[in-house]
Coordinates of all heavy atoms in Angstrom, one line a residue:
Q148 N 0.8 -1.2 0.0 CA 0.0 0.0 0.0 C 0.9 1.3 0.0 O 0.6 2.2 -0.7 CB -0.9 0.0 1.2 CG -1.8 1.2 1.3 CD -2.6 1.3 2.5 OE1 -3.8 1.6 2.5 NE2 -2.0 1.1 3.7
D149 N 1.9 1.2 0.8 CA 2.9 2.4 0.8 C 3.4 2.7 -0.6 O 3.5 3.8 -1.0 CB 4.0 2.1 1.8 CG 3.6 2.3 3.2 OD1 2.4 2.7 3.5 OD2 4.4 2.0 4.1
I150 N 3.8 1.6 -1.3 CA 4.4 1.8 -2.6 C 3.4 2.5 -3.6 O 3.7 3.4 -4.3 CB 4.8 0.4 -3.2 CG1 6.0 -0.2 -2.4 CG2 5.2 0.6 -4.7 CD1 6.2 -1.6 -2.8
A151 N 2.1 2.0 -3.5 CA 1.1 2.5 -4.4 C 0.7 3.9 -4.0 O 0.5 4.7 -4.9 CB -0.1 1.5 -4.4
I152 N 0.6 4.2 -2.7 CA 0.2 5.5 -2.3 C 1.3 6.5 -2.6 O 1.0 7.7 -3.1 CB -0.1 5.5 -0.8 CG1 -1.5 4.8 -0.5 CG2 -0.2 7.0 -0.3 CD1 -1.9 4.7 0.9
D153 N 2.5 6.2 -2.4 CA 3.6 7.1 -2.8 C 3.6 7.4 -4.3 O 3.8 8.6 -4.6 CB 5.0 6.4 -2.4 CG 5.3 6.4 -0.9 OD1 4.7 7.3 -0.2 OD2 6.1 5.6 -0.5
A154 N 3.4 6.4 -5.1 CA 3.3 6.6 -6.5 C 2.1 7.5 -6.9 O 2.2 8.4 -7.7 CB 3.2 5.3 -7.3
Y155 N 1.0 7.2 -6.3 CA -0.2 8.1 -6.5 C 0.0 9.5 -6.1 O -0.3 10.4 -6.9 CB -1.4 7.5 -5.8 CG -2.6 8.5 -5.8 CD1 -3.5 8.5 -6.8 CD2 -2.8 9.3 -4.7 CE1 -4.5 9.4 -6.8 CE2 -3.8 10.2 -4.7 CZ -4.7 10.3 -5.8 OH -5.7 11.2 -5.8
R156 N 0.6 9.7 -4.9 CA 0.9 11.1 -4.4 C 1.7 11.9 -5.4 O 1.5 13.0 -5.7 CB 1.6 11.0 -3.1 CG 1.7 12.3 -2.4 CD 2.6 12.3 -1.2 NE 4.0 12.1 -1.6 CZ 4.7 11.0 -1.3 NH1 4.1 10.0 -0.7 NH2 5.9 10.8 -1.7
I157 N 2.7 11.2 -6.0 CA 3.6 11.9 -6.9 C 3.0 12.2 -8.2 O 3.1 13.3 -8.8 CB 4.9 11.1 -7.1 CG1 5.7 10.9 -5.8 CG2 5.8 11.7 -8.2 CD1 6.8 9.9 -5.8
E158 N 2.2 11.3 -8.7 CA 1.6 11.5 -10.0 C 0.3 12.3 -10.0 O -0.1 12.8 -11.1 CB 1.2 10.1 -10.6 CG 2.5 9.2 -10.8 CD 2.1 7.8 -11.2 OE1 0.9 7.4 -11.2 OE2 3.1 7.0 -11.4
A159 N -0.3 12.5 -8.9 CA -1.7 13.1 -8.8 C -1.6 14.6 -9.0 O -2.6 15.2 -9.4 CB -2.4 12.7 -7.5
V160 N -0.6 15.3 -8.5 CA -0.5 16.7 -8.6 C 0.9 17.2 -9.1 O 1.8 16.4 -9.2 CB -0.7 17.4 -7.2 CG1 -2.1 17.0 -6.6 CG2 0.3 16.9 -6.2
S161 N 1.0 18.5 -9.4 CA 2.2 19.1 -9.9 C 3.2 19.1 -8.8 O 2.9 19.0 -7.6 CB 1.9 20.5 -10.4 OG 1.3 21.3 -9.5
A162 N 4.5 19.4 -9.1 CA 5.6 19.4 -8.2 C 5.4 20.4 -7.1 O 5.8 20.2 -5.9 CB 6.9 19.6 -8.9
D163 N 4.8 21.6 -7.4 CA 4.7 22.6 -6.4 C 3.7 22.3 -5.3 O 3.7 22.9 -4.2 CB 4.4 24.0 -7.0 CG 3.1 24.0 -7.8 OD1 2.6 22.9 -8.0 OD2 2.7 25.0 -8.3
R164 N 2.8 21.3 -5.5 CA 1.8 20.9 -4.5 C 2.3 19.7 -3.7 O 1.6 19.2 -2.9 CB 0.5 20.5 -5.2 CG -0.2 21.7 -5.8 CD -1.6 21.3 -6.2 NE -2.4 22.5 -6.6 CZ -2.6 22.9 -7.9 NH1 -2.0 22.2 -8.9 NH2 -3.3 23.9 -8.2
Q165 N 3.5 19.1 -4.0 CA 4.0 17.9 -3.4 C 4.2 18.2 -1.9 O 4.0 17.3 -1.1 CB 5.3 17.4 -4.0 CG 5.1 16.8 -5.4 CD 4.2 15.6 -5.4 OE1 4.2 14.9 -4.4 NE2 3.5 15.4 -6.5
G166 N 4.7 19.4 -1.5 CA 4.9 19.7 -0.1 C 3.6 19.6 0.7 O 3.5 19.0 1.8
A167 N 2.5 20.1 0.1 CA 1.2 20.0 0.8 C 0.7 18.6 0.8 O 0.1 18.2 1.8 CB 0.2 20.9 0.0
M168 N 0.9 17.8 -0.3 CA 0.5 16.4 -0.2 C 1.2 15.7 0.9 O 0.6 14.9 1.6 CB 0.8 15.8 -1.6 CG 0.0 16.3 -2.8 SD -1.7 15.7 -2.8 CE -1.5 14.1 -3.7
A169 N 2.5 16.0 1.0 CA 3.3 15.3 2.1 C 2.8 15.7 3.5 O 2.7 14.9 4.4 CB 4.8 15.7 1.9
A170 N 2.4 17.0 3.6 CA 1.9 17.5 4.9 C 0.6 16.8 5.3 O 0.5 16.4 6.5 CB 1.7 19.0 4.9
T171 N -0.3 16.7 4.4 CA -1.6 16.1 4.8 C -1.4 14.6 5.0 O -2.1 14.0 5.8 CB -2.7 16.3 3.7 OG1 -2.2 16.0 2.4 CG2 -3.1 17.8 3.7
Y172 N -0.5 14.0 4.2 CA -0.2 12.6 4.4 C 0.4 12.3 5.8 O 0.0 11.4 6.5 CB 0.8 12.1 3.3 CG 1.4 10.7 3.5 CD1 0.7 9.7 2.9 CD2 2.5 10.5 4.1 CE1 1.2 8.4 3.0 CE2 3.0 9.2 4.3 CZ 2.3 8.1 3.7 OH 2.8 6.8 3.9
I173 N 1.3 13.2 6.2 CA 1.9 13.0 7.5 C 0.9 13.2 8.6 O 0.9 12.5 9.6 CB 3.1 14.1 7.7 CG1 4.2 13.8 6.8 CG2 3.6 14.1 9.2 CD1 5.2 14.9 6.7

């Protein structure tokens, strides 16, 4: 599940939104 969620998180939004994706994930 971690592998798939990590891949989804990266592919779902642009690079500038990755920090926010990481924050809500944490």
Side-chain angles (χ1 to χ4, degrees):
Q148 180 187 224
D149 283 357
I150 295 169
I152 289 178
D153 285 337
Y155 168 83
R156 187 191 69 248
I157 295 167
E158 297 170 356
V160 299
S161 57
D163 57 352
R164 291 190 174 98
Q165 289 298 329
M168 292 284 274
T171 52
Y172 174 86
I173 293 168

